Amino acid sequence: MIKINENYFKLQASYLFSEIAARVNAFQKENPGKKIIRLGIGDVTLALPKVCIDAFHKAVDEMADDNTFKGYGPEQGYLFLREKISDYDYKTRGVSISPDEIFVSDGAKCDTGNIQEIFSTDTKIAIPDPVYPVYLDTNVMAGRTGEYKNGRYENIIYLQGTKENGFVPDLPDTDVDLIYLCFPNNPTGVVATFDLLNNWVDYARKNKSVILYDAAYEAFIQDDALPRTIYEIEGAKEVAIEFRSYSKTAGFTGTRCAYTVVPKECRAYDSSEKKHLLHGLWNRRQCTKFNGVSYPVQKAAEAVYSDKGLVQVKKLIDYYMKNAALIRKEMTSLGYECVGGLNSPYIWIDSKMDSWDFFNLLLNKAGVVCTPGSGFGACGDGYIRISAFNSYENVKKAVNLIKKTLK
Ligand code: PLP
């Protein structure tokens, strides 16, 4: 008899964004003429930069000619893109990451979800709360958690982000093997300092752990004194895997391109405590289960690093950061405590009431969609996330509607 993976039963029924969509649809059905402004799901709204589109078109034309047509590409990504990543994303920060330590992929979501496969099923995992839900759910599916009780899964060490610690979780007081970190953070928008990352890298080295460092929002960091990559920390290459994405950086959410860095010295241990390098394992996994990102998409991503591309991408980021500044300023002036929005497109707001009640209030009275913090974990209760991804005009309208509702 074929049996299903019963771990799936442990997953919480409603994925946050489907629940939001259901509530918005119900509201629209009841109020057919009413306009809604979405500052909820973290999807970008501006088109791809012109240089990316030009490179994309040109590469599609190459696919139309037998002489330049490309079939299967390297599973790890084309060298032309990996070299640019190595030079522009790392060398410019004084970090040496060689192109063959970079694995181009179709998304940081897939990679942060898939990476857990290369670790033992009895791995002790530390996950922040609040958190981007993918880290947790993929470990539930893999059977690394117990049951879900009182808002928490058994066998997970939750790293609590609270007002008291500025939503930057403290180091665990127990030994953990695998640590998920995300900076700039989704959902709170807080960023990591050098000191913080130094502490985590020290911890991982002492405890023989691995850090999974999700830097999908790195491009939004405005303060040049902050680390842009975990590899700016000495010793990090031995203990950290980093995830980056063109989704938010350059508008690739629908185009799909990202990458994961597994340094050659990054290690884990077998049951006899013998050391193994993770690079080969991830390479094996990718070669077995992944056939690479399409050539035109990688050409579009490569264009991000051209002179024009760097300017056009900065313009996109600046646009969203202007939205973030407006949201943060207006919510603060209404008397709501905010974090984030300075080096990230997310503003995390103390809603002073239950998250879903505040969500309903903004939806029903202002016609504005935010994201209830409780959907990101128990510590998110009493908070909402507002995202800067929309047009400036819509953000201006939204904050005015919110002001009218909350004054
Ligand atoms: N990591 C974080 C923290 C995110 O918020 C998101 C998307 O919202 C992703 C990863 C997914 O990125 P991608 O579009 O590359 O799959």
Side-chain angles (χ1 to χ4, degrees):
M1 187 195 301
I2 180 69
K3 301 253 177 74
I4 57 164
N5 177 355
E6 293 193 23
N7 293 312
Y8 276 64
F9 291 149
K10 296 179 197 158
L11 289 167
Q12 291 315 287
S14 134
Y15 182 61
L16 172 63
F17 295 112
S18 11
E19 179 60 26
I20 293 174
R23 291 191 189 210
V24 171
N25 287 343
F27 175 77
Q28 275 185 320
K29 245 189 190 161
E30 283 163 30
N31 305 274
K34 185 127 175 135
K35 265 207 140 171
I36 282 179
I37 303 176
R38 292 168 197 273
L39 300 177
I41 295 182
D43 197 358
V44 293
T45 52
L46 295 176
L48 289 172
K50 169 116 182 14
V51 271
C52 297
I53 287 295
D54 290 346
F56 212 170
H57 278 294
K58 194 161 165 271
V60 169
D61 286 341
E62 286 182 55
M63 299 299 267
D65 181 337
D66 292 346
N67 296 309
T68 48
F69 166 79
K70 303 271 187 299
Y72 290 123
E75 289 93 345
Q76 303 82 357
Y78 285 100
L79 199 54
F80 61 76
L81 178 56
R82 298 156 88 203
E83 281 176 346
K84 291 281 173 8
I85 294 168
S86 165
D87 285 348
Y88 285 84
D89 289 346
Y90 292 101
K91 226 173 254 167
T92 53
R93 299 295 302 182
V95 169
S96 165
I97 292 290
S98 74
D100 62 356
E101 294 176 299
I102 296 161
F103 295 83
V104 176
S105 78
D106 57 352
K109 182 181 192 175
C110 320
D111 285 357
T112 53
N114 290 329
I115 195 82
Q116 44 78 28
E117 281 183 25
I118 64 171
F119 300 103
S120 146
T121 43
D122 62 0
T123 297
K124 271 188 279 170
I125 298 173
I127 291 188
D129 176 0
V131 72
Y132 174 58
V134 172
Y135 316 147
L136 190 55
D137 286 358
T138 50
N139 278 295
V140 176
M141 291 170 178
R144 287 204 187 80
T145 70
E147 294 301 323
Y148 186 75
K149 286 184 187 154
N150 306 320
R152 291 276 162 98
Y153 285 99
E154 293 167 336
N155 304 344
I156 292 283
I157 289 114
Y158 286 89
L159 302 171
Q160 307 212 83
T162 59
K163 192 179 287 185
E164 288 66 41
N165 61 22
F167 302 96
V168 178
D170 301 316
L171 299 180
D173 41 24
T174 52
D175 290 350
V176 294
D177 307 319
L178 190 63
I179 302 146
Y180 287 81
L181 295 179
C182 173
F183 294 110
N185 190 263
N186 177 12
T188 64
V190 298
V191 277
T193 59
F194 275 97
D195 279 351
L196 179 87
L197 292 187
N198 263 317
N199 289 342
W200 278 108
V201 168
D202 276 355
Y203 174 93
R205 287 166 67 89
K206 272 189 209 120
N207 288 278
K208 298 188 169 172
S209 326
V210 163
I211 297 170
L212 301 177
Y213 192 71
D214 187 345
Y217 296 94
E218 159 278 332
F220 292 85
I221 297 177
Q222 307 289 301
D223 181 347
D224 218 35
L226 293 169
R228 300 286 286 253
T229 156
I230 194 162
Y231 304 122
E232 284 180 72
I233 309 301
E234 214 185 311
K237 283 201 214 168
E238 195 190 340
V239 297
I241 293 174
E242 181 164 287
F243 305 89
R244 296 264 193 114
S245 172
Y246 297 97
S247 282
K248 311 298 160 71
T249 309
F252 275 61
T253 53
T255 307
R256 310 307 304 143
C257 199
Y259 66 86
T260 290
V261 177
V262 186
K264 295 263 178 64
E265 57 259 61
C266 191
R267 81 311 171 240
Y269 303 83
D270 66 19
S271 42
S272 3
E273 299 192 13
K274 185 168 168 250
K275 181 166 128 180
H276 297 268
L277 300 176
L278 293 172
H279 183 273
L281 257 70
W282 185 244
N283 189 47
R284 185 72 171 84
R285 190 266 172 212
Q286 289 298 80
C287 291
T288 304
K289 294 194 178 183
F290 185 59
N291 256 337
V293 175
S294 81
Y295 173 72
V297 167
Q298 292 193 59
K299 278 305 223 186
E302 183 198 20
V304 163
Y305 301 101
S306 63
D307 289 347
K308 278 188 192 163
L310 295 169
V311 173
Q312 290 174 18
V313 162
K314 183 168 182 318
K315 217 170 134 195
L316 283 187
I317 302 284
D318 289 349
Y319 184 93
Y320 293 127
M321 289 312 291
K322 190 173 157 203
N323 291 349
L326 178 65
I327 296 163
R328 192 180 154 118
K329 176 173 152 262
E330 295 296 352
M331 291 306 291
T332 306
S333 73
L334 282 168
Y336 288 86
E337 277 182 48
C338 302
V339 293
L342 300 174
N343 292 288
S344 107
Y346 296 125
I347 299 99
W348 185 245
I349 300 164
D350 184 344
S351 54
K352 303 193 256 188
M353 64 171 89
D354 172 85
S355 301
W356 280 106
D357 288 347
F358 199 73
F359 170 89
N360 286 336
L361 178 70
L362 291 194
L363 176 62
N364 297 323
K365 295 278 185 316
V368 174
V369 181
C370 66
T371 313
S374 56
F376 297 103
C379 289
D381 201 11
Y383 292 86
I384 56 148
R385 186 193 75 178
I386 295 190
S387 126
F389 295 124
N390 210 315
S391 69
Y392 186 67
E393 291 65 39
N394 275 345
V395 169
K396 235 165 58 183
K397 266 188 220 158
V399 291
N400 284 333
L401 289 163
I402 292 174
K403 264 181 171 166
K404 271 194 209 149
T405 303
L406 299 179
K407 258 188 178 163

